[in-house]
Amino acid sequence: MDQKEKIDQWICDWFQKADKNKDGRMNFKEVQHLLRMMNVDMNEDHAFRLFQMADKSETGTLEGEEFVLFYKALTQRDEVLEIFQEYSEDGKKMTLLEFVDFLLQEQMENKGVDEFAMELIDRYEPSESAKARHSLSIDGFLMYLCSPDGSIFNPEHKEVFQDMSQPLCHYFISSSHNTYLMEDQLRGQSSVEGYIRALKRGCRCLEVDCWDGPNGDPIVYHGHTFTSKIPFREVVTTLEKYAFRASDYPIILSLENHCSIEQQDIMAQQLKGILGEKLLISTIDGRVPMQLPSPEDLKGKIILKGKRIGYLEDSLNGQPDEVPEWEDVEEEEGPETEEEALRNEEKKKEKKAKQTLSQELSDCIIYCKSVPFCSFQHSRSHYKPYEMSSFAESKTRKLIREAVALNFQTAGTEMDLYDGLFSQNGRCGYILKPGFMRDTETDFSPENPQSKGDGSPLSIDIKVISGQQLPKIPNSKEGSIVDPLVRVEIHGVPADSAKQETKYIENNGFNPQWRETLQFTVCAPELALLRFVVEDYDKTSRNDFVGQYTLPLTSVKAGYRHIHLLSKDGTGIPPASLFVHIRLTELSTEID
């Protein structure tokens, strides 16, 4: 179904909802009631004139087709017509050359633009005669602007476009915390549905909290809480079924292992028996890794993350695993430092490893061995490429450079930003870090974005022009209409983080017009997210959320663009959208 068919179907669905007696006709009073249901506030005289014009049968009622005509006349996009007429010499059609000029001057399309213009006309122009003349009507122009090709999100980034052959540590990885929980962290329900939802959203790193269960079968739940429990076997079976439906790139299964050795053995047997060849149980080439393999190398594989007895090298060389001994580190005189205390504690833990870890499960840990974090310097000098650390939240805020696991089941700003970041690169769950974050000699600091070295600051001009069919607030009073405002946010390094908002428009959730320009300067666009939030203004209490859309700044298309809004839980709310104009300018060279 194309964009035009979707809009027509949406209008007809509303008509059928309001046609109480199912006679396929609506009088003006019924039409007024329906428009209020659709969040339309209108001038009654103007609406009645349009009603009479659409009543072709002159019966004082509108049938389905007539209502579609009435609706379209009522909702004519004057702001789009203005743009169309600016580039159309006769104001009725855009010739191929005029459309090419629009694409070059406004949309900043510069690759094969003549052929691209022909493709767009063929794709979106509803008139066959206009297509034959290679021209675009106002209807075709609007259809283009409302389509994925007219979206703010770069269509090329909906496919995998980044280099996927670099080591795993060079990527941000979409990760989920307490994946098995559906809601509350203390009393909520545990379910395999949590894994299914996360996997369908492109999540590539899942968490499993494993505990001893009855009858010798391990279970999964949030330990020491009142959350419900699910069998470990069910989680693994779900993983086998859904792991690679949204993405072919590797899954990392993070094992929070609290089981006895006996039940760890059962975990290993279930993992190998159910996952089969999908489970990675040896290095991809049988050699000691000098660096982590790439997502491309590991396509279709499930990697376990957890504790391991000894070093990977011991198993690959055919030698028995031994508890590793820490290399001697030159110590300063004086009291034991925090780092030294952590190292000494780790020595004790390693000596107990054979007593607390199943050898069979340990042998399944290949590229993701969990080790404690002492310091970056200690990690560089002591740890192997396949060893990695997890951080407590307080420490993460100070040290973060890697992917962060979120509660996918909890909607809100944090999840909006997370979804926005991973919406690029085909939603495959892996985002290549900027070059200055992959360089081992980097001096980059988020507190000093100029330290990244390359690239100029980016100036962003966002003209918020209008909104379309904004939804009513759930559980609002009958007949109430939203007073929408738009807030534009930049989320990035501290110097770049900013927000600005438009004025609110009274009683117009249907076609509000702001025509306000907001300006931002971004020093590290490679790390910035652009978020649009629509709220219903309330002068006596907190504004109500209407919709939002978040995307990486590097995926933004310049020019006149529609932003198709999402609900609180990240699902689409068609046909609700914003219409904006974006201009991106390097402070030294214009690049939009």
Side-chain angles (χ1 to χ4, degrees):
M1 186 180 291
D2 62 24
Q3 192 72 16
K4 180 177 185 298
E5 290 171 330
K6 285 181 182 178
I7 292 174
D8 287 351
Q9 183 62 53
W10 182 79
I11 298 169
C12 290
D13 287 347
W14 274 106
F15 182 91
Q16 290 171 11
K17 279 183 187 179
D19 185 14
K20 299 293 185 183
N21 59 6
K22 305 301 178 186
D23 66 351
R25 294 177 176 275
M26 297 179 67
N27 60 34
F28 183 62
K29 187 174 181 180
E30 290 173 319
V31 167
Q32 283 183 297
H33 178 67
L34 173 59
L35 291 175
R36 279 194 293 272
M37 289 172 58
M38 298 169 75
N39 212 14
V40 181
D41 190 22
M42 62 194 150
N43 177 283
E44 185 173 329
D45 292 338
H46 176 58
F48 186 65
R49 283 196 298 272
L50 294 176
F51 177 91
Q52 290 178 313
M53 290 171 59
D55 182 16
K56 302 294 185 184
S57 58
E58 298 182 352
T59 60
T61 60
L62 300 183
E63 299 179 15
E65 293 281 332
E66 292 174 326
F67 178 75
V68 171
L69 289 174
F70 165 76
Y71 176 91
K72 289 185 176 180
L74 184 73
T75 59
Q76 178 176 297
R77 297 281 300 278
D78 290 337
E79 74 278 24
V80 173
L81 185 60
E82 289 172 16
I83 300 163
F84 181 83
Q85 292 177 337
E86 183 181 343
Y87 282 86
S88 167
E89 185 175 354
D90 65 6
K92 297 179 181 178
K93 66 178 183 305
M94 268 193 200
T95 64
L96 179 60
L97 288 177
E98 289 169 341
F99 188 39
V100 166
D101 190 36
F102 170 79
L103 294 175
L104 287 169
Q105 298 298 320
E106 298 292 351
Q107 307 300 77
M108 302 302 151
E109 305 286 1
N110 49 25
K111 295 179 182 177
V113 68
D114 290 350
E115 294 80 4
F116 185 49
M118 292 278 284
E119 289 175 14
L120 293 177
I121 291 173
D122 190 56
R123 199 174 297 159
Y124 300 115
E125 175 52 53
S127 167
E128 292 299 326
S129 60
K131 276 186 189 179
R133 295 192 301 271
H134 305 308
S135 61
L136 198 63
S137 66
I138 180 61
D139 288 337
F141 184 64
L142 179 58
M143 294 308 301
Y144 152 66
L145 288 175
C146 291
S147 76
D149 288 302
S151 166
I152 190 174
F153 190 92
N154 188 339
E156 294 179 3
H157 291 191
K158 291 184 177 180
E159 307 296 330
V160 174
F161 70 96
Q162 295 179 336
D163 178 7
M164 303 302 288
S165 64
Q166 301 206 29
L168 280 179
C169 56
H170 285 186
Y171 298 84
F172 295 118
I173 304 174
S174 179
S175 306
S176 169
H177 176 59
N178 290 348
T179 316
Y180 47 87
L181 289 179
M182 298 297 291
E183 43 190 77
D184 186 84
Q185 304 286 303
L186 297 177
R187 301 174 184 274
Q189 179 187 4
S190 301
S191 171
V192 294
E193 183 66 28
Y195 290 95
I196 296 171
R197 290 181 183 178
L199 288 166
K200 284 183 175 180
R201 291 173 78 165
C203 181
R204 297 288 89 189
C205 183
L206 310 169
E207 185 181 41
V208 188
D209 280 355
C210 309
W211 299 80
D212 280 355
N215 305 317
D217 278 331
I219 56 173
V220 175
Y221 84 110
H222 198 191
H224 309 299
T225 67
F226 297 103
T227 56
S228 61
K229 303 171 177 64
I230 49 177
F232 179 74
R233 177 189 294 275
E234 287 187 14
V235 173
V236 181
T237 301
T238 300
L239 184 60
E240 193 279 330
K241 184 177 181 180
Y242 291 94
F244 302 107
R245 291 198 178 182
S247 171
D248 292 331
Y249 291 103
I251 291 281
I252 298 173
L253 191 63
S254 179
L255 300 178
E256 293 293 328
N257 180 8
H258 307 281
C259 290
S260 63
I261 290 179
E262 292 76 19
Q263 293 211 15
Q264 289 179 49
D265 285 338
I266 293 172
M267 287 171 58
Q269 292 159 16
Q270 291 178 351
L271 285 162
K272 289 188 280 190
I274 296 170
L275 299 180
E277 292 185 358
K278 292 178 182 176
L279 182 66
L280 190 79
I281 54 175
S282 65
T283 58
I284 56 176
D285 56 6
R287 299 178 181 176
V288 176
M290 302 305 293
Q291 66 175 19
L292 287 172
S294 70
E296 192 67 33
D297 293 331
L298 295 168
K299 264 187 173 180
K301 291 296 183 182
I302 296 171
I303 307 161
L304 299 185
K305 174 182 175 289
K307 295 177 181 177
R308 178 187 172 92
I309 301 171
Y311 290 129
L312 183 60
E313 289 86 335
D314 299 329
S315 299
L316 294 175
N317 293 331
Q319 300 170 358
D321 286 325
E322 296 180 359
V323 176
E325 292 294 332
W326 294 101
E327 297 177 25
D328 291 332
V329 180
E330 185 177 335
E331 298 184 2
E332 298 178 3
E333 296 181 4
E336 185 179 59
T337 65
E338 179 183 1
E339 180 176 330
E340 291 163 352
L342 286 168
R343 286 205 303 272
N344 290 333
E345 182 65 24
E346 180 58 21
K347 289 181 186 179
K348 297 174 185 175
K349 289 181 180 178
E350 287 284 1
K351 288 178 181 178
K352 294 179 181 177
K354 286 187 175 179
Q355 300 167 354
T356 59
L357 286 179
S358 150
Q359 187 68 53
E360 188 173 2
L361 186 60
S362 170
D363 289 344
C364 295
I365 307 297
I366 307 299
Y367 289 120
C368 297
K369 176 186 173 183
S370 297
V371 292
F373 178 80
C374 300
S375 69
F376 288 120
Q377 182 178 355
H378 176 269
S379 297
R380 288 192 188 99
S381 58
H382 290 81
Y383 287 158
K384 309 289 184 179
Y386 56 82
E387 294 178 317
M388 60 184 59
S389 303
S390 298
F391 301 100
E393 185 174 345
S394 57
K395 184 171 285 188
T396 301
R397 293 182 183 277
K398 298 178 182 177
L399 303 174
I400 180 170
R401 284 196 183 186
E402 302 295 328
V404 176
L406 286 193
N407 295 317
F408 269 55
Q409 64 274 24
T410 306
T413 302
E414 292 81 5
M415 201 63 224
D416 292 342
L417 297 175
Y418 207 75
D419 275 340
L421 172 63
F422 287 100
S423 62
Q424 61 182 312
N425 208 30
R427 290 189 178 273
C428 75
Y430 287 83
I431 305 298
L432 186 65
K433 297 175 186 176
F436 56 81
M437 295 185 75
R438 306 194 305 266
D439 182 1
T440 56
E441 304 300 320
T442 185
D443 293 322
F444 173 70
S445 166
E447 302 298 329
N448 178 23
Q450 285 79 12
S451 60
K452 68 189 181 79
D454 56 349
S456 302
L458 194 65
S459 174
I460 309 169
D461 295 315
I462 301 173
K463 185 176 183 180
V464 182
I465 301 172
S466 63
Q468 294 76 43
Q469 289 95 43
L470 303 179
K472 297 185 72 170
I473 305 301
N475 303 317
S476 58
K477 294 179 181 178
E478 185 177 353
S480 66
I481 307 294
V482 299
D483 303 327
L485 62 81
V486 179
R487 185 171 62 254
V488 180
E489 304 170 351
I490 302 289
H491 295 264
V493 299
D496 292 342
S497 297
K499 59 182 69 174
Q500 297 180 44
E501 62 185 39
T502 67
K503 62 180 181 294
Y504 68 91
I505 305 295
E506 286 192 38
N507 292 330
N508 190 345
F510 195 71
N511 57 357
Q513 304 255 337
W514 293 278
R515 298 181 185 253
E516 292 186 49
T517 300
L518 311 177
Q519 296 180 315
F520 302 88
T521 299
V522 177
C523 296
E526 304 92 335
L527 296 175
L529 296 170
L530 180 61
R531 184 170 188 251
F532 295 83
V533 185
V534 181
E535 291 182 343
D536 178 16
Y537 173 77
D538 193 320
K539 61 183 177 183
T540 61
S541 62
R542 187 175 182 179
N543 293 349
D544 289 312
F545 175 90
V546 174
Q548 70 86 33
Y549 188 81
T550 306
L551 74 165
L553 187 53
T554 52
S555 295
V556 170
K557 291 283 284 183
Y560 288 102
R561 302 289 171 182
H562 276 92
I563 299 166
H564 300 283
L565 296 173
L566 304 176
S567 65
K568 273 187 177 178
D569 63 4
T571 56
I573 43 176
S577 64
L578 297 175
F579 186 48
V580 300
H581 183 271
I582 307 284
R583 183 170 294 275
L584 306 173
T585 311
E586 278 193 3
L587 292 186
S588 56
T589 307
E590 187 164 309
I591 64 165
D592 66 335

